[in-house]
Each structure stands twice: as structure tokens, then as C-alpha cells.
């Protein structure tokens, strides 16, 4: 008798962007890594913790290059492939670029997962890339202990329209395009505590492409963009604060929340990555008195394929809100601001 197919999540020690190395550990690793020699055509490299590298091709084009992969956070192989591909393409959109093609990165426990299940993962990734209008033009695969899937993603943008996480200015309004709570919902799924509506909301959010990116790059009032993923809203806001040398203020109750995430957080559901994230921020993130632990958990919650965090001048804020909501992001909210001060995050 053929043995039953194991659940994808049973083969992975972590899942989604919660697999990311903690930000403080990553900084320590990179601090010991020799810096590359300067290259005149390298517009954005590894020095700013940005979402992708950018290489100037000519006066009118720059190549955006990134890679992202992780282990499954859900058991459906097709949806796992969709989520991983959406997440990888997000970094291209966050730089203001339009994707042009991708390469698949595949690590699967051959012999433990069937060829049919592995094929469904790849089909899911291909479906997302087709929706984005780009091919998967090749890739690389290995036999690994845990299932891993992701993409190398490449895109094009005008060199003068590259969006980074370091261009925010005091006075800017911060807009977040997606609801938070992905990590809490995925943790509840693994615990068997996530209902059908919560699961549907989880899939809908993590498979929505961050397509406003190229349109945002054409708006002069938009000064900085990053996507919110494994380090949580506060972690990626901190990267933005450090990049621009100013203080980012976040309004604790301003973001939208995925259905059920608040109730689950109040019931104590959280990810280990949320705890790790909070520890990694050090003294550079402060909470106003009275903010509950469950609210902090949501603000540090690792987001797989999360939304775009946009720093925009006040006069352009409504234009950005109209743009993103018109492109299918009804959960977009004004979540804070950039003010003068040292590079830190203050939650009010």
C-alpha cells in the first residue's frame, strides 16, 4: 500500500518569511562579509538593506535583480507555489520596476514528496508569473531535506525612478497597502485553529501582486517604498528610518488587520519570529505606555508577501491612496509619518 502524502508543513521547521534570519543576526553576518569593490553602474547594492539590487544599463533603463525563497507555511502545494512567487516578485515592484522574467529555485525532499505534489508547487509559481506577465525562463533544483521554493526575479525601471527604502523625508506620510496578521493566521493554521474565512483571507492577501510599484515610481511626491515581509511592520519601518536618518512614527491602531488576526493574537497566538523580531530591534523601537503585548505581536508579526510601505509627501498622500485602492488594495491605510529625529521607530 502506498504511504500517505505528508503535509508540506510537517516537512519544514519554519515557513514563509518567518524563516528569515533575525535582523540583528543578519547584520552581524553581513558586517563580517567583505564589501564589494565600487562599481559605477551599481545604483543599489547590499549596503542599504534594500529590497533588490539595481544596475544601470543605460540612460533610460536599470535592471532590478532579487531572489527570495522559503519553506511552506500552508499544505496546499499549488497555493504554496503561488505565495512564494508573489513574494519574490514583490521586491521588484517595491523598487518601482516592472518584472520582465524569473528563474525558479526548487529544493524538494525527493522520495518523500510525490512528483505530482512537486509539480503542483511549480504550477502555482508559474500561474502567478503568468498573471504578472512574465515567464519562468529556467532555474535550478536540488534534492533537499525540507521543501523550498522561490524565484530569482528581474525587472526594469528608469534609473531616475528607482524607489528605495532610504529616501523618506521628515513630514512624509506613511501608507501601508495590505492588512497585517499573516504570521498570526499561518501560526493558527498550523495549530488547527484557523477557520475557512481566515484561511481564505490569508491566501488572498499573500497571493496579491504588489502591482502599484511602477505607478508609484512615476509620482514625484513618493520618496521611499519598501515591502513589509519577515521583519514585520516595525522592522521594515526601522530600516526606512535608518536609511533616511530620521524618526518614523507608527500609529498602533492605524493598520488594517486580516480577519480573525486580532482575536487570535488576543488569545495568545503568535509566531516565534515575532518574538525574535522584537528582540532584534534593540532600543531603536519604542512603544507608548499602554500598548498591549498582543498589539506589539501584530506589529512585529512576520508578513509573507506583505504590502508596500510608502513614504509620500502630504500633498501626494491622497493621490497614492486613490491609486492603490483603485488597483484593488482596499486595506490601504495611513499608518504613520516621518519626523525629524534620530533613526528610530516610535509607536504611538
Amino acid at each position: 500500500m502506498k504511504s500517505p502524502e505528508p503535509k508540506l508543513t510537517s516537512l519544514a521547521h519554519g515557513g514563509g518569511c518567518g524563516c528569515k534570519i533575525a535582523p540583528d543576526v543578519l547584520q552581524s553576518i553581513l558586517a563580517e562579509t567583505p564589501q564589494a569593490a565600487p562599481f559605477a553602474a551599481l545604483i543599489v547594492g547590499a549596503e542599504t538593506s534594500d529590497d533588490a539590487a539595481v544596475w544601470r544599463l543605460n540612460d533610460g533603463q536599470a535592471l532590478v535583480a532579487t531572489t527570495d525563497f522559503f519553506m511552506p507555511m500552508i499544505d496546499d502545494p499549488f497555493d504554496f507555489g503561488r505565495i512564494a512567487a508573489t513574494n519574490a516578485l514583490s521586491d521588484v515592484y517595491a523598487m518601482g520596476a516592472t518584472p520582465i522574467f524569473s528563474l525558479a529555485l526548487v529544493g524538494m525532499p525527493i522520495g518523500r514528496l510525490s512528483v505530482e505534489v512537486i509539480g503542483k508547487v511549480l504550477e502555482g509559481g508559474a500561474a502567478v508569473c503568468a498573471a504578472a506577465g512574465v515567464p519562468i525562463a529556467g532555474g535550478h533544483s536540488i534534492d533537499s531535506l525540507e521543501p523550498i521554493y522561490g524565484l530569482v526575479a528581474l525587472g526594469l525601471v528608469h534609473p531616475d525612478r528607482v524607489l528605495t527604502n532610504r529616501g523618506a523625508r521628515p513630514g512624509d506620510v506613511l501608507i501601508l497597502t495590505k492588512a497585517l496578521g499573516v504570521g498570526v493566521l499561518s501560526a493558527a493554521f498550523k495549530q488547527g485553529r484557523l477557520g475557512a474565512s481566515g484561511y481564505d483571507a490569508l491566501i488572498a492577501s499573500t497571493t496579491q501582486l504588489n502591482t502599484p510599484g511602477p505607478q508609484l515610481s512615476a509620482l514625484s511626491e513618493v520618496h521611499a517604498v519598501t515591502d513589509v515581509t519577515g521583519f514585520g511592520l516595525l522592522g521594515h519601518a526601522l530600516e526606512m528610518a535608518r536609511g533616511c536618518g530620521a524618526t518614523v512614527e507608527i500609529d498602533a491602531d492605524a493598520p488594517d488587520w486580516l480577519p480573525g488576526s486580532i482575536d487570535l493574537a488576543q488569545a495568545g497566538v503568535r509566531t516565534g519570529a515575532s518574538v525574535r523580531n522584537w528582540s532584534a530591534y534593540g532600543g531603536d523601537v519604542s512603544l507608548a505606555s499602554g500598548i498591549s503585548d498582543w498589539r506589539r505581536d501584530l506589529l512585529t508579526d512576520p508578513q509573507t508577501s506583505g504590502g508596500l510601505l510608502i513614504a509620500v509627501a502630504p500633498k501626494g498622500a491622497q493621490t497614492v491612496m486613490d491609486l492603490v485602492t483603485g488597483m484593488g488594495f482596499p486595506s490601504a491605510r495611513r499608518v504613520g509619518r516621518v519626523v525629524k529625529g534620530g533613526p528610530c521607530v516610535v509607536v504611538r
Side-chain angles (χ1 to χ4, degrees):
M1 178 182 292
K2 184 179 178 181
S3 59
E5 194 88 41
K7 293 183 177 180
L8 289 180
T9 54
S10 72
L11 300 175
H13 77 280
C17 285
C19 297
K20 291 178 73 170
I21 296 173
D24 58 336
V25 176
L26 181 59
Q27 282 186 338
S28 298
I29 294 171
L30 295 178
E32 301 300 323
T33 303
Q35 295 295 309
F39 292 87
L42 185 62
I43 300 174
V44 179
E47 66 282 348
T48 59
S49 301
D50 238 307
D51 296 305
V54 184
W55 185 270
R56 182 189 297 270
L57 298 175
N58 50 54
D59 290 343
Q61 292 180 311
L63 179 68
V64 174
T66 184
T67 185
D68 212 312
F69 53 89
F70 47 61
M71 293 163 284
M73 54 189 279
I74 58 170
D75 292 320
D76 184 280
F78 185 79
D79 282 340
F80 168 45
R82 292 171 66 207
I83 293 168
T86 305
N87 181 73
L89 291 172
S90 180
D91 286 339
V92 173
Y93 290 124
M95 304 298 288
T98 300
I100 53 173
F101 74 92
S102 63
L103 307 171
L105 301 173
V106 184
M108 293 290 161
I110 304 300
R112 300 194 68 188
L113 287 178
S114 67
V115 171
E116 290 77 17
V117 166
I118 297 171
K120 285 292 184 183
V121 175
L122 272 61
E123 286 179 26
V128 163
C129 287
V134 299
I136 297 180
H140 184 65
S141 60
I142 62 170
D143 185 351
S144 63
L145 293 176
E146 299 181 86
I148 299 168
Y149 181 72
L151 300 176
V152 174
L154 303 171
L156 291 176
V157 63
H158 192 285
D160 296 335
R161 292 183 174 178
V162 175
L163 296 172
T164 70
N165 65 7
R166 62 182 186 270
R169 306 172 189 176
D172 282 352
V173 174
L174 294 178
I175 293 172
L176 178 63
T177 61
K178 288 187 182 182
L180 298 176
V182 169
V184 167
L185 294 189
S186 61
F189 170 78
K190 293 177 183 178
Q191 297 172 20
R193 299 172 63 177
L194 186 64
S197 61
Y199 183 82
D200 290 345
L202 173 66
I203 299 301
S205 178
T206 54
T207 58
Q208 184 178 23
L209 290 163
N210 280 321
T211 50
Q215 283 78 7
L216 293 172
S217 73
L219 301 176
S220 61
E221 295 89 356
V222 173
H223 298 147
V225 175
T226 189
D227 62 341
V228 175
T229 54
F231 299 156
L233 174 60
L234 299 188
H236 291 283
L238 180 57
E239 288 183 338
M240 187 175 281
R242 287 170 174 167
C244 70
T247 296
V248 168
E249 293 182 347
I250 298 293
D251 298 325
D253 60 352
D256 195 13
W257 312 98
L258 289 172
S261 58
I262 289 181
D263 289 341
L264 287 164
Q266 289 176 332
V269 177
R270 64 179 180 180
T271 69
S274 176
V275 179
R276 178 201 67 191
N277 282 342
W278 177 248
S279 298
Y281 303 155
D284 291 334
V285 177
S286 61
L287 303 179
S289 61
I291 293 179
S292 60
D293 289 345
W294 66 263
R295 180 78 69 180
R296 183 197 67 193
D297 290 341
L298 285 172
L299 294 171
T300 60
D301 189 53
Q303 302 303 287
T304 300
S305 190
L308 299 178
L309 182 63
I310 306 161
V312 56
K315 65 179 180 179
Q318 191 57 49
T319 298
V320 169
M321 285 293 295
D322 291 343
L323 171 67
V324 297
T325 55
M327 294 184 70
F329 291 81
S331 290
R333 299 288 188 275
R334 303 185 191 208
V335 297
R337 65 206 60 82
V338 182
V339 298
K340 292 181 179 179
C344 66
V345 173
V346 177
V347 183
R348 303 193 181 282

